[in-house]
Amino acid sequence: DSFLDEPFHLSLPRSADFADLIIAKGPGCFPFKKDLKRAYCQIPVDPRDCNLLGYHWSDLLYFDLLLPFGLHSATLACQHTADTIAHNFYSVYHHQCMNSINDFGDVESSHDDALEAFHDLEILFNCLSLDSSLEKDCPPSTRMVFLGLIYNTATTCMTLE
C-alpha cells in the first residue's frame, strides 16, 4: 500500500471490465488486442535511480538501465506507462482501450472501425518506439483471448483459455 513512504494503489482491470466493453458494442462486435513485447525491458529507469539498481557479481558492477522484473515498484511503473499509452491513444486517435500492464484491448462495432483502431494503436506504438509481440497481437475478430479468457462475440460466450 505504500512505496518510499508514499501511499499508492495499483488496481488492474478485471475481465468483467472487458466483457462490459463487448456488451456495450453488442453481439458480433470486433475485439482486438496488442501486446507490449517484453514490457519491462522497454521502459527505462530514471537515470537518477540507476545507482540504486546496481549489483556486484564476479568482481564486476552491473546496473539496470531498464525496469528489472521483480522490482517492487516495476509493476506500478509499467502500469502507469501503459495508462499513459492508453490515454494518448484516446487523446490523439479518439479510441478508448483497456490496458493491463502489457496488454491493450479494445472493441469496435464494425470490422472496419476495429481495423482502423488496431492500426492506429500500432502507429502509436511505433511513434513511441515500442515493440509489440506479433505472436500475441490479435487483429479484429469475433473471437479473442484477453487476460486469460476467450471472448466470442458471435456466440456471446466467455470461456477459460
Side-chain angles (χ1 to χ4, degrees):
D1 294 331
S2 68
F3 179 71
L4 298 176
D5 297 324
E6 291 293 323
F8 78 86
H9 176 72
L10 175 64
S11 63
L12 300 175
R14 302 170 306 124
S15 54
D17 297 330
F18 195 69
D20 289 343
L21 292 176
I22 290 171
I23 291 167
K25 297 293 179 170
C29 62
F30 294 89
F32 64 89
K33 76 170 181 176
K34 289 199 80 57
D35 181 276
L36 191 57
K37 184 178 185 177
R38 300 174 61 229
Y40 288 83
C41 295
Q42 294 193 60
I43 303 171
V45 171
D46 185 325
R48 295 170 294 183
D49 291 339
C50 289
N51 64 316
L52 302 172
L53 298 172
Y55 52 96
H56 180 257
W57 185 72
S58 291
D59 292 328
L60 296 172
L61 292 175
Y62 296 88
F63 294 90
D64 285 312
L65 302 178
L66 303 171
L67 283 180
F69 187 76
L71 179 67
H72 180 72
S73 60
T75 304
L76 180 65
C78 197
Q79 183 62 35
H80 280 306
T81 301
D83 290 343
T84 302
I85 294 166
H87 175 78
N88 283 317
F89 186 52
Y90 180 74
S91 297
V92 175
Y93 298 99
H94 310 293
H95 302 293
Q96 212 159 4
C97 72
M98 190 174 111
N99 60 289
S100 179
I101 301 179
N102 64 324
D103 291 318
F104 296 81
D106 194 9
V107 181
E108 294 293 340
S109 298
S110 76
H111 187 266
D112 289 344
D113 289 345
L115 197 57
E116 177 186 341
F118 181 76
H119 288 303
D120 287 345
L121 188 53
E122 189 172 327
I123 290 167
L124 179 59
F125 272 37
N126 290 337
C127 287
L128 297 171
S129 298
L130 297 171
D131 294 325
S132 69
S133 176
L134 299 178
E135 311 82 51
K136 294 181 181 178
D137 288 354
C138 181
S141 172
T142 55
R143 186 179 183 281
M144 182 181 83
V145 176
F146 189 65
L147 302 178
L149 294 174
I150 301 168
Y151 297 87
N152 188 327
T153 64
T155 62
T156 61
C157 288
M158 206 169 65
T159 56
L160 289 174
E161 181 179 25

